[in-house]
Amino acid sequence: MLSTLKTSIIWRFLNETKAITTTTISVNNYQHRRRLNTTTRIFSDRESVTLTTAKQWTHSSNIILMGSPGSGKSTVARILAKKLNKPSIDIDNDILEPMWGVKISEKLKEKGSKHFIEEEGKALMTVKAENSIISLTGSNPLHDEAMRYIANTGYVIFLDYPAKGILQRLHKMKIDRIVGQEIGTPLTDILEHRQMTYEQAYDIRILCEENESPESVSEKVIEALAVLEEDQGYVSTRQDKDSVSVQERTSLGEILLQGLAPDGGLYVPALQIPCLSKGEWSRLVNMSYRDRALRIMERLINPCDLHPSKLRLFLERAYNNETFSHEKIFPVRHLKDNHFLLELFHGPTASFKDAALQLMPQMFVDALRHNEFKTDSSRYIILVATSGDTGSAVLDGFRRHAEGSGVGVIVLFPEHGISEVQRLQMTAMSGGNVQVLGIDGDFDLCQGMVKRAFQDQDLASWLSNNGNFRLRYKNAANSITWGRLLPQIVFQVSGYLDLVEQKVISLGDEVDVCIPTGNFGNILGAFYAQAMGIPFRRLVCASNANNTLTEFINSGVYDIRSRQIQKTQSPAIDILKASNLERFIYHKSDRDSQLVRKCFKELEENQCFEVSGQLLEDIQKSLVGKWCSEAECVNTIKNCFETTGYLLDPHTAIAKFVADLVNDVDVPMIINATAHYSKFAPQVLRALGHKKDIKDKSMSELFDMASKITDSPSMHSRLKEYIKSSDVNEKVLKPNYEDVERAIKIFSHKI
């Protein structure tokens, strides 16, 4: 039997007012209990306020089908009723016409669209059904109050059928006018408006394929409900399989706040990664990046953890043309021959990390509200130590999306241990909830001070007594958190779909993908995209001189005993311990947590572990590992510019060099361009032979010089603004903990 599962779900309507309750859903005599929140949420441009109380209902809930006229709701409802042994209620045939005593078309003609919707809504609010399959009319969702009423009785399932198919079905049904359509208004316009309304009003979306049969759609509904019931949330890579079935469900919010699992493992979904069909992927090809992201992520996130309506809002705030400089957000462009660049640097800090860190702060604050803010009035200070790009991306994300939320961020960085561009980016960040602290020491010292602050009970007491603050570690920023991986899955999928949209390939054709790799996050995103059905043929792992991953892929031995990190021109991948590799091994070993524990215990204690046999064969079927030296990186920047006019940053150059090594001219290769070249202006200008010209030049002058050399890609305007701005948010502290402690206390008064 399916286990009882207590979760929370949020309903959001077009007017952004929500009212939710607790219901019980029964599928084939299995009982599943879900805890829903009665929530009133008022959104403004800056902030949102949530008031939550819980109601408990004990009766069986309804399955409520919603969709356009012609989407097959009534037919699907009858099929579901038979398969699930539930009564079926068609609002048109079983409620409205018997109540009114006339046909729907006559009532519409009598009342007109506006008054018809009002009458229809009043009728819907008389329905007292339980444990039923309810097929709504196409216009029911236009009445907010009625939809709130009916939604409280169960799950709203949106049958999202392609508009082209809807029009064809309506034509066959000889329907040329629907509710809300005035004379002269094209039916396509009304359907588009309806789609916008439906998008605000569902718990689960069923992505219907072109010409998909009602029988097939009904199977998708049953499968979606079963997944929701069976979902145990998230498990640790080091957790025994036997304990998963008996554990309390771990929600997305909980793992975002925890970061690492208590046993030291990394969180992964308890269920298998969902795989979309070719027909479902075809629906996403011509969509915007945000719309693709919503449909991908709502398949990966339980709506009880993060409701689709709220996820949509977060995506709208994260990925827009005020924040990102390219309308496609992460566009794909042709470089040369069969090589294409997935440009991941159009965000505010010119790094792929913006993909996650424009979204993660919103999810993090939401998790705090629903897991901790709901029980106390604490405020939070997140401490982050950075050696590069993470700091600026975290600062930008939290100042945009968390100011006024009671969450502040302090970033510590080694004053002389980061590039000038990275320093200027961070110190130019202004906001009431962010602070940058330069430390006269190295990164290890910064990291040590962060850890000491968390162990300082006197500081914790002071913060608690002076504003009810708590310290949080860098869970919202760390690349090992599941929340960082979700957006990386999306942009890998989107890169493939862009090639289909550009007609470079047909949907279903294989491509290779090459990714500069350090902590194994981006390439893991491609691996999950592959699991979802994207036909990546080879995942090519491109390393710099810190090539432990290359050695592991080719030999099965992960050995860092005699290694020291080499500082290179591609610092974001100067990593010896690739943390996300643990998730990959977990999946490739068929979730063998015992093996994972053994491997990473050996790595921690002995700095080495080894895999062999079938597991190694499976890893080598998935991954190709090569590396690039410093000299080869420089030559790649120069050669690429001379042959294409395109200027690569050092990380992308690493991937380009490796892509050339393993190239198959018959298969397109997507290369992840993870940073804009201007973040590394001195390095790329030297690579182009301007060593003497850049001597004694300011960073602003170097930017001007680079922008005159090429417009491919164009200069990153936001980054240029940071470089030319004066330091507004910088303090440089001596290398002693007392100064850091004092700065934390002073900062707490700002939040």
Side-chain angles (χ1 to χ4, degrees):
M1 291 187 63
L2 300 177
S3 61
T4 297
L5 176 62
K6 289 188 177 180
T7 53
S8 63
I9 191 168
I10 296 176
W11 170 266
R12 175 172 172 248
F13 288 92
L14 191 58
N15 62 6
E16 295 184 88
T17 301
K18 310 181 181 79
I20 306 296
T21 58
T22 297
T23 64
T24 302
I25 185 165
S26 176
V27 179
N28 283 342
N29 299 319
Y30 289 125
Q31 294 296 315
H32 163 61
R33 186 174 183 78
R34 62 173 182 161
R35 183 172 179 269
L36 309 178
N37 289 329
T38 298
T39 305
T40 302
R41 193 169 182 85
I42 304 166
F43 292 97
S44 68
D45 291 338
R46 287 188 65 253
E47 190 53 38
S48 54
V49 179
T50 303
L51 304 174
T52 305
T53 57
K55 290 183 181 179
Q56 295 290 330
W57 285 12
T58 57
H59 68 267
S60 297
S61 72
N62 298 309
I63 298 171
I64 305 154
L65 302 184
M66 176 185 73
S68 291
S71 62
K73 301 183 296 294
S74 297
T75 305
V76 172
R78 288 194 295 270
I79 295 171
L80 287 173
K82 185 176 181 180
K83 289 187 175 185
L84 301 180
N85 193 28
K86 291 174 178 282
S88 173
I89 301 173
D90 184 291
I91 297 299
D92 267 338
N93 297 329
D94 299 329
I95 303 296
L96 299 183
E97 289 193 350
M99 178 180 290
W100 293 338
V102 297
K103 290 187 175 183
I104 301 298
S105 58
E106 294 176 11
K107 190 74 170 180
L108 175 59
K109 186 177 180 180
E110 173 195 341
K111 293 291 184 179
S113 291
K114 182 178 179 180
H115 294 293
F116 177 87
I117 291 170
E118 184 64 29
E119 291 292 317
E120 186 184 54
K122 290 178 181 178
L124 183 61
M125 288 189 286
T126 67
V127 175
K128 303 296 182 184
E130 297 180 359
N131 194 31
S132 300
I133 312 294
I134 300 177
S135 174
L136 300 178
T137 73
S139 52
N140 278 152
L142 300 177
H143 194 288
D144 289 347
E145 185 180 0
M147 275 302 292
R148 278 196 293 273
Y149 168 83
I150 202 68
N152 285 343
T153 72
Y155 285 98
V156 178
I157 313 291
F158 175 25
L159 305 186
D160 185 3
Y161 206 88
K164 180 181 177 182
I166 292 292
L167 289 169
Q168 290 173 345
R169 288 184 177 186
L170 292 177
H171 179 71
K172 287 182 180 179
M173 296 162 65
K174 297 183 179 181
I175 296 175
D176 57 6
R177 187 178 177 192
I178 60 176
V179 176
Q181 184 181 6
E182 303 299 332
I183 296 175
T185 304
L187 186 56
T188 52
D189 289 357
I190 297 300
L191 291 177
E192 184 177 347
H193 173 72
R194 288 279 187 90
Q195 180 76 14
M196 293 169 60
T197 303
Y198 301 148
E199 288 287 345
Q200 307 292 334
Y202 65 90
D203 297 318
I204 300 171
R205 181 200 305 270
I206 302 300
L207 198 60
C208 303
E209 302 175 31
E210 198 78 42
N211 300 317
E212 187 165 10
S213 69
E215 180 72 28
S216 175
V217 172
S218 69
E219 287 297 328
K220 284 185 175 180
V221 173
I222 292 172
E223 181 182 353
L225 291 170
V227 166
L228 194 64
E229 294 178 64
E230 294 167 3
D231 180 24
Q232 289 295 309
Y234 299 85
V235 296
S236 168
T237 51
R238 304 184 188 185
Q239 181 176 349
D240 288 329
K241 290 181 180 179
D242 293 341
S243 67
V244 174
S245 59
V246 297
Q247 73 169 22
E248 254 188 70
R249 184 178 185 277
T250 306
S251 70
L252 177 65
E254 289 171 320
I255 70 165
L256 292 181
L257 297 180
Q258 288 180 32
L260 282 174
D263 59 12
L266 306 183
Y267 282 114
V268 294
L271 296 177
Q272 295 293 331
I273 299 295
C275 184
L276 278 67
S277 69
K278 185 177 178 180
E280 289 173 320
W281 284 125
S282 70
R283 295 285 311 279
L284 276 62
V285 170
N286 295 311
M287 289 184 179
S288 69
Y289 186 83
R290 281 204 305 263
D291 286 342
R292 287 174 180 172
L294 178 63
R295 285 152 182 80
I296 295 165
M297 291 183 70
E298 66 188 15
R299 291 293 286 268
L300 294 166
I301 298 175
N302 190 312
C304 302
D305 290 344
L306 183 61
H307 195 265
S309 58
K310 188 182 289 186
L311 176 60
R312 171 182 287 277
L313 178 66
F314 290 172
L315 291 168
E316 288 171 354
R317 290 172 175 172
Y319 306 124
N320 56 69
N321 292 134
E322 291 182 5
T323 307
F324 285 79
S325 60
H326 198 287
E327 63 180 358
K328 295 282 287 184
I329 309 299
F330 301 117
V332 172
R333 64 184 292 171
H334 182 237
L335 182 63
K336 185 182 179 182
D337 300 328
N338 65 317
H339 284 188
F340 297 82
L341 293 175
L342 173 57
E343 293 183 337
L344 301 171
F345 51 69
H346 292 286
T349 69
S351 163
F352 78 94
K353 295 182 180 181
D354 290 320
L357 290 168
Q358 288 299 313
L359 185 61
M360 270 293 297
Q362 300 179 73
M363 295 170 67
F364 186 80
V365 170
D366 186 70
L368 283 172
R369 283 175 173 153
H370 289 89
N371 288 275
E372 296 189 15
F373 282 178
K374 69 180 180 182
T375 58
D376 61 40
S377 57
S378 296
R379 293 181 287 173
Y380 288 80
I381 296 175
I382 300 170
L383 296 184
V384 179
T386 183
S387 60
D389 289 339
T390 298
S392 59
V394 171
L395 290 165
D396 190 272
F398 273 89
R399 76 186 179 100
R400 287 176 188 272
H401 304 299
E403 187 170 0
S405 68
V407 178
V409 176
I410 299 177
V411 173
L412 279 66
F413 70 90
E415 175 67 14
H416 304 293
I418 62 174
S419 74
E420 181 67 5
V421 175
Q422 290 168 333
R423 187 188 70 80
L424 289 170
Q425 272 189 290
M426 286 190 283
T427 58
M429 297 280 182
S430 60
N433 67 327
V434 296
Q435 176 70 63
V436 181
L437 299 177
I439 305 295
D440 189 11
D442 59 18
F443 173 72
D444 288 341
L445 181 65
C446 296
Q447 186 85 309
M449 289 186 175
V450 168
K451 291 179 179 178
R452 183 172 173 184
F454 280 95
Q455 297 166 355
D456 188 339
Q457 294 302 314
D458 290 338
L459 175 61
S461 296
W462 189 94
L463 289 171
S464 179
N465 295 329
N466 291 268
N468 201 20
F469 282 97
R470 296 184 187 181
L471 286 180
R472 277 278 175 191
Y473 195 42
K474 57 178 182 178
N475 295 351
N478 199 308
S479 62
I480 63 172
T481 62
W482 180 250
R484 278 281 294 270
L485 283 168
L486 286 169
Q488 291 172 309
I489 299 170
V490 173
F491 65 62
Q492 300 294 355
V493 169
S494 188
Y496 177 85
L497 296 177
D498 274 359
L499 286 188
V500 178
E501 186 180 25
Q502 295 170 19
K503 302 191 184 309
V504 174
I505 58 173
S506 297
L507 189 65
D509 289 349
E510 291 186 325
V511 304
D512 293 333
V513 60
C514 185
I515 302 173
T517 304
N519 211 30
F520 210 79
N522 270 354
I523 201 163
L524 187 63
F527 171 73
Y528 284 130
Q530 191 181 53
M532 292 190 75
I534 295 299
F536 289 142
R537 186 184 67 154
R538 295 184 299 173
L539 306 180
V540 183
C541 174
S543 300
N544 61 17
N546 297 288
N547 56 3
T548 51
L549 281 169
T550 303
E551 291 184 353
F552 172 72
I553 293 166
N554 291 302
S555 70
V557 178
Y558 202 99
D559 189 352
I560 58 175
R561 285 174 295 190
S562 58
R563 281 184 172 268
Q564 297 291 327
I565 288 180
Q566 297 184 46
K567 291 188 176 182
T568 73
Q569 298 175 89
S570 47
I573 56 175
D574 285 348
I575 294 172
L576 293 181
K577 285 186 178 181
S579 300
N580 278 300
L581 181 65
E582 180 168 337
R583 286 187 171 104
F584 180 74
I585 292 175
Y586 177 76
H587 290 298
K588 296 305 288 186
S589 65
D590 193 25
R591 299 185 173 233
D592 188 341
S593 56
Q594 185 176 353
L595 171 71
V596 171
R597 285 198 304 271
K598 177 178 177 292
C599 287
F600 288 90
K601 181 180 180 182
E602 289 177 359
L603 183 63
E604 189 66 31
E605 295 178 352
N606 305 319
Q607 305 291 288
C608 179
F609 72 83
E610 182 176 1
V611 300
S612 58
Q614 188 61 51
L615 176 56
L616 179 57
E617 287 183 27
D618 290 344
I619 288 171
Q620 292 173 340
K621 287 177 183 176
S622 293
L623 299 176
V624 175
K626 299 288 182 182
W627 71 285
C628 173
S629 70
E630 288 293 271
E632 290 163 339
C633 176
V634 169
N635 288 336
T636 301
I637 293 171
K638 182 174 183 292
N639 292 339
C640 183
F641 180 73
E642 290 176 347
T643 56
T644 69
Y646 194 96
L647 194 49
L648 305 171
D649 88 287
H651 303 80
T652 310
I654 296 288
K656 176 65 170 73
F657 175 82
V658 170
D660 287 335
L661 286 181
V662 302
N663 195 40
D664 178 346
V665 295
D666 295 325
V667 179
M669 173 77 78
I670 300 176
I671 298 170
N672 280 206
T674 55
H676 193 276
Y677 73 83
S678 59
K679 296 198 80 164
F680 305 91
Q683 293 95 318
V684 298
L685 289 171
R686 278 195 293 268
L688 297 182
H690 296 282
K691 187 174 181 179
K692 292 182 180 179
D693 298 337
I694 68 175
K695 189 176 181 181
D696 300 325
K697 290 275 199 307
S698 70
M699 194 56 62
S700 180
E701 290 172 323
L702 293 180
F703 267 53
D704 289 338
M705 185 176 172
S707 64
K708 291 175 183 177
I709 290 173
T710 184
D711 61 356
S712 182
S714 58
M715 176 53 68
H716 196 285
S717 58
R718 189 71 53 78
L719 194 57
K720 193 172 183 178
E721 290 173 10
Y722 285 144
I723 298 308
K724 292 196 172 185
S725 68
S726 58
D727 294 351
V728 296
N729 198 19
E730 180 180 22
K731 289 184 174 69
V732 180
L733 304 181
K734 295 178 180 179
N736 62 73
Y737 173 72
E738 289 72 21
D739 286 352
V740 172
E741 179 186 16
R742 189 178 305 111
I744 293 171
K745 292 178 178 179
I746 294 171
F747 174 71
S748 69
H749 296 300
K750 290 177 58 179
I751 303 174

